[in-house]
Amino acid sequence: FDSAKVFRVKPHKEKQVNFLKNLPSNLQIDFWYPDSALHILSEMEVDFHVSADQAKYVETLLKQNGIPYEILFQNLQEDIEKQLDNKNKS
Amino acid sequence: TSKYHYTKYNEWHQISAWTARIAKKYPKLVSRIKIGNTFENRSMYLLKIGKQRNPKKAIFMDCGIHAREWISPAFCQWFVKEATRTYGKDGNMTNILDNMNFYVVPLFNIDGYVWSWTQNRFWRKNRSNASSSTCIGVDLNRNFDAAWGTIDASKNPCEEIYCGSSPESEPETKAVTTFIRSHLSSIKAYLTIHSYSQMLLFPYGYTYDKTPNYKELKELAREAAKAIASLYGKKYTYGTSAATIYPSSGCSDDWAYDQGIKYSFTFELRDKGKHGFLLPESEIKATCQEIMLAVKFLANYILRK
């Protein structure tokens, strides 16, 4: 998960919803919310995880399709390690 | 048990050993029941908590149906800790456990959880490879016999929401449903603990239709959310699954409701995306404390009914 990212996007138009629904057919997308691309609706906040090598491409596609996005996790591996509080591991 | 860490995420071998120890330490309050085996042949345990007296009402609660939602099994462990340590000291908990049993499945999707610790932190499904596809796993929360495979569940084994080859095709689902069916006369409420998104959901998910006791469930969810917010101000949204998130079929809360368990709730614990499935260990305590308030509220309501 080194440099893997989690995006949060919010599609407004039906065209953007369809774009997101089709994203998994070309790329390896792990949906965090909703559970699957099938559930995506207009105005829904959608969180998904992509690997480092696909993150840049996904970002470009989001920009091209005018889909507002933010990056919730810049480097998932770092956050996985941060989740366990090593200070407490005696 | 005094050395057990409830404010850390524990691996399955630790949780499993803990279930044995806590039953041994509190023999009059806790008993460990084996309810089946997972696809990879690990033993599935349920903890029965409550003073031995029959007949009693019961609440069934399961945690960890989705492997990557680590805060969920952490809550079940916390609940058992609170129940055992406060019984006889806290009047309310004592009253609840004197008059009601809790059936707690501390970890539903054991194989998936082990996989999430060892191979893929974001694994969701179980580890069944029963399909003809090379893809592994069934979404256990699409595998229940509640409008199975009809609405927004996938029949593609490569999807995260693959519903399996048939209702209850998975040994984990079968173990839980068999237990619940054989204790239906006493089980008055069903609680299933998930993460994330801070929600309190109730049936239905497979239809926009409202249940006959919709108003009561909505009021209970409202009060439970209020109890949660009273501690740290965390806002949990509530409503039917279909209307609050999206329609989905084969889910455990719908199945439980249709079995006749009229108080059926899904908890989606913290947070709303900042941490997602990576809720830090430093938030385990606060998350569990706030959810305890809701669970105790619901237990008191069921007792009064």
Side-chain angles (χ1 to χ4, degrees):
Chain A
F1 297 109
D2 262 340
S3 299
K5 296 191 187 335
V6 174
F7 288 86
R8 169 166 289 178
V9 302
K10 194 171 183 180
H12 298 303
K13 300 173 189 162
E14 211 48 43
K15 199 177 148 193
Q16 295 172 335
V17 170
N18 290 335
F19 164 78
L20 290 171
K21 282 187 172 181
N22 287 322
L23 212 49
S25 56
N26 305 313
L27 297 161
Q28 190 106 33
I29 305 283
D30 170 27
F31 282 93
W32 282 21
Y33 187 89
D35 295 335
S36 151
L38 290 171
H39 303 311
I40 298 172
L41 299 168
S42 176
E43 302 303 323
M44 177 187 266
E45 281 188 339
V46 178
D47 299 345
F48 60 86
H49 144 223
V50 288
S51 60
D53 58 325
Q54 296 184 335
K56 204 76 203 158
Y57 181 52
V58 167
E59 208 170 346
T60 306
L61 289 175
L62 293 173
K63 280 179 186 162
Q64 281 174 356
N65 285 274
I67 301 174
Y69 71 92
E70 61 178 306
I71 298 176
L72 295 177
F73 294 87
Q74 289 284 358
N75 183 343
L76 263 183
Q77 188 58 39
E78 279 180 6
D79 288 278
I80 288 171
E81 283 156 20
K82 270 192 273 178
Q83 184 185 29
L84 301 179
D85 183 1
N86 290 320
K87 281 177 289 186
N88 288 344
K89 290 204 181 298
S90 53
Chain B
T1 51
S2 60
K3 285 179 185 168
Y4 196 69
H5 297 292
Y6 292 95
T7 54
K8 287 182 184 180
Y9 295 112
N10 294 298
E11 295 184 56
W12 169 241
H13 69 88
Q14 296 170 304
I15 299 171
S16 174
W18 163 82
T19 60
R21 281 200 309 272
I22 202 139
K24 196 175 171 188
K25 185 172 178 182
Y26 299 97
K28 290 179 181 169
L29 197 60
V30 180
S31 46
R32 184 172 83 152
I33 300 163
K34 183 177 168 178
I35 59 168
N37 287 82
T38 67
F39 182 82
E40 292 178 339
N41 214 29
R42 293 183 175 90
S43 295
M44 290 179 71
Y45 296 114
L46 171 149
L47 294 173
K48 179 183 177 184
I49 302 160
K51 273 292 183 189
Q52 310 304 317
R53 200 187 73 190
N54 286 315
K56 284 168 78 172
K57 292 178 179 177
I59 292 180
F60 185 97
M61 178 165 74
D62 61 55
C63 290
I65 198 167
H66 290 140
R68 60 192 181 184
E69 299 171 6
W70 284 8
I71 184 61
S72 169
F75 174 71
C76 267
Q77 293 161 64
W78 183 276
F79 175 84
V80 174
K81 169 190 78 87
E82 283 294 298
T84 50
R85 288 191 189 170
T86 62
Y87 179 81
K89 294 173 187 149
D90 171 68
N92 186 228
M93 183 62 90
T94 307
N95 183 47
I96 290 171
L97 296 178
D98 275 345
N99 296 290
M100 174 181 272
N101 289 321
F102 268 85
Y103 294 121
V104 179
V105 176
L107 188 55
F108 192 135
N109 180 5
I110 299 166
D111 297 345
Y113 187 74
V114 170
W115 196 255
S116 75
W117 271 88
T118 56
Q119 302 293 328
N120 181 348
R121 175 63 190 82
F122 300 110
W123 190 257
R124 169 186 170 88
K125 302 187 279 184
N126 74 349
R127 293 295 301 165
S128 156
N129 67 356
S131 78
S132 53
S133 155
T134 53
C135 292
I136 301 285
V138 169
D139 182 348
L140 295 174
N141 203 32
R142 297 290 187 283
N143 191 232
F144 285 76
D145 195 3
W148 176 85
T150 57
I151 303 149
D152 279 8
S154 175
K155 294 199 174 165
N156 175 359
C158 298
E159 292 266 0
E160 292 291 358
I161 51 169
Y162 173 49
C163 59
S165 56
S166 60
E168 300 183 18
S169 59
E170 303 312 293
E172 294 90 346
T173 318
K174 199 79 183 169
V176 167
T177 55
T178 301
F179 182 88
I180 291 178
R181 270 193 288 262
S182 63
H183 293 77
L184 264 184
S185 59
S186 64
I187 297 174
K188 303 300 174 196
Y190 170 82
L191 310 178
T192 182
I193 313 295
H194 290 243
S195 76
Y196 62 99
S197 64
Q198 291 181 200
M199 288 179 185
L200 235 172
L201 306 169
F202 52 85
Y204 285 113
Y206 64 71
T207 170
Y208 284 106
D209 290 350
K210 288 173 179 168
T211 61
N213 64 340
Y214 166 79
K215 280 187 181 169
E216 187 184 17
L217 292 179
K218 190 179 175 192
E219 181 58 19
L220 282 174
R222 191 179 74 85
E223 288 297 322
K226 211 164 100 182
I228 292 170
S230 71
L231 201 54
Y232 298 110
K234 292 291 177 191
K235 285 189 178 172
Y236 279 59
T237 48
Y238 58 89
T240 66
S241 300
T244 310
I245 44 171
Y246 36 76
S248 54
S249 58
C251 297
S252 64
D253 52 352
D254 280 353
W255 174 83
Y257 187 88
D258 284 345
Q259 291 296 301
I261 303 170
K262 296 303 176 196
Y263 301 99
S264 177
F265 294 95
T266 297
F267 285 76
E268 296 278 358
L269 306 191
R270 290 188 192 184
D271 67 351
K272 290 191 145 190
K274 184 185 173 196
H275 300 296
F277 301 118
L278 299 176
L279 191 73
E281 287 183 321
S282 58
E283 290 202 32
I284 293 176
K285 183 178 175 182
T287 305
C288 293
Q289 284 175 326
E290 66 195 10
I291 300 305
M292 275 303 292
L293 296 180
V295 171
K296 283 173 86 173
F297 163 76
L298 291 172
N300 284 319
Y301 182 85
I302 306 290
L303 265 186
R304 283 198 305 271
K305 282 286 283 186

